[in-house]
Amino acid sequence: MPAIHFLNEHTSLDVLPGTNLRKAALKSGIHLYAPLHRVFHLNLNLGPLKFPCGSDVIEVVDGKGINARTHTEEDVISGRWLMKRKVSPNHRLACQVVVNGDVTVKTRPKLEVDPRATKNRVAFLGVVGGFLLMMLAVLALIGLDLVKKL
Ligand code: FES
C-alpha cells in the first residue's frame, strides 16, 4: 500500500493505489491551501475550457510513484494571469497527483516570482489592453457619428 509522507506536518498516510493526493490530504485534515485560498479558491470547468485555481501547489521531495506533470499543470503553477512564478520540476498541483507508490511532499512551498517573465507578461497585456482601448474608442466615435446622422 503506497504511503504519502507530509514533511511539514510530520504525518504519513497509507492510501490505496490510484488515490488523488489532494483528496487524501483534505480527508485527513492536512491544509494544502494558504489561509486566503482556503476560502477563495475556485476551479472553473466550462466544458473544454478549464481554469484551475492553482492554489494547491506542493513540492514532491521524493517519490516516483506518481503520474507525470502535464504542460497545462506547469502553466497553472507558474501563474496564468499577471504574475509569473518560477517553477521547479518538483512542483505539482495536489489535485493532479495520482499516487501509485510512496511519495514525500512539502505542502505550501514558497514560490518565487519570476521578474523577467512577469515583466514580459505585463508588457504584453499593456500592448493588448492599449490596442483594445483604441478599438473601443474608434467604435465609440463611429457610433457617435452614426447617431449624428439620424
Ligand atoms: S484544487 Fe485548484 S488547482 Fe488544484
Side-chain angles (χ1 to χ4, degrees):
M1 189 176 268
I4 309 170
H5 306 286
F6 293 93
L7 282 184
N8 294 342
E9 291 77 13
H10 310 286
T11 305
S12 292
L13 300 175
D14 290 327
V15 295
L16 293 171
T19 298
N20 178 283
L21 197 144
R22 175 183 176 267
K23 286 181 182 168
L26 293 180
K27 202 172 169 184
S28 303
I30 294 169
H31 291 294
L32 297 170
Y33 304 99
L36 197 62
H37 286 127
R38 282 181 205 157
V39 182
F40 301 107
H41 83 271
L42 182 64
N43 289 317
L44 285 179
N45 252 338
L46 307 170
L49 294 175
K50 292 179 175 37
F51 298 97
C53 65
S55 54
D56 60 341
V57 179
I58 56 167
E59 183 180 345
V60 177
V61 178
D62 188 28
K64 293 176 176 63
I66 56 173
N67 57 327
R69 185 173 75 184
T70 63
H71 182 69
T72 307
E73 190 181 344
E74 184 181 337
D75 206 32
V76 171
I77 295 170
S78 72
R80 285 187 158 174
W81 308 111
L82 208 52
M83 195 174 309
K84 295 291 269 181
R85 302 179 290 199
K86 291 179 183 172
V87 180
S88 94
N90 296 342
H91 288 140
R92 297 292 310 267
L93 292 173
C95 63
Q96 303 299 314
V97 175
V98 178
V99 181
N100 285 307
D102 289 357
V103 62
T104 304
V105 300
K106 273 186 186 173
T107 54
R108 289 170 275 131
K110 216 170 181 66
L111 295 173
E112 287 179 44
V113 173
D114 186 343
R116 188 177 174 164
T118 301
K119 195 173 157 185
N120 290 343
R121 175 66 61 88
V122 169
F124 173 76
L125 291 176
V127 169
V128 171
F131 177 76
L132 289 176
L133 278 177
M134 208 169 71
M135 294 310 293
L136 204 64
V138 168
L139 286 174
L141 287 175
I142 291 171
L144 285 174
D145 199 38
L146 283 174
V147 169
K148 272 187 200 169
K149 286 181 182 171
L150 291 178

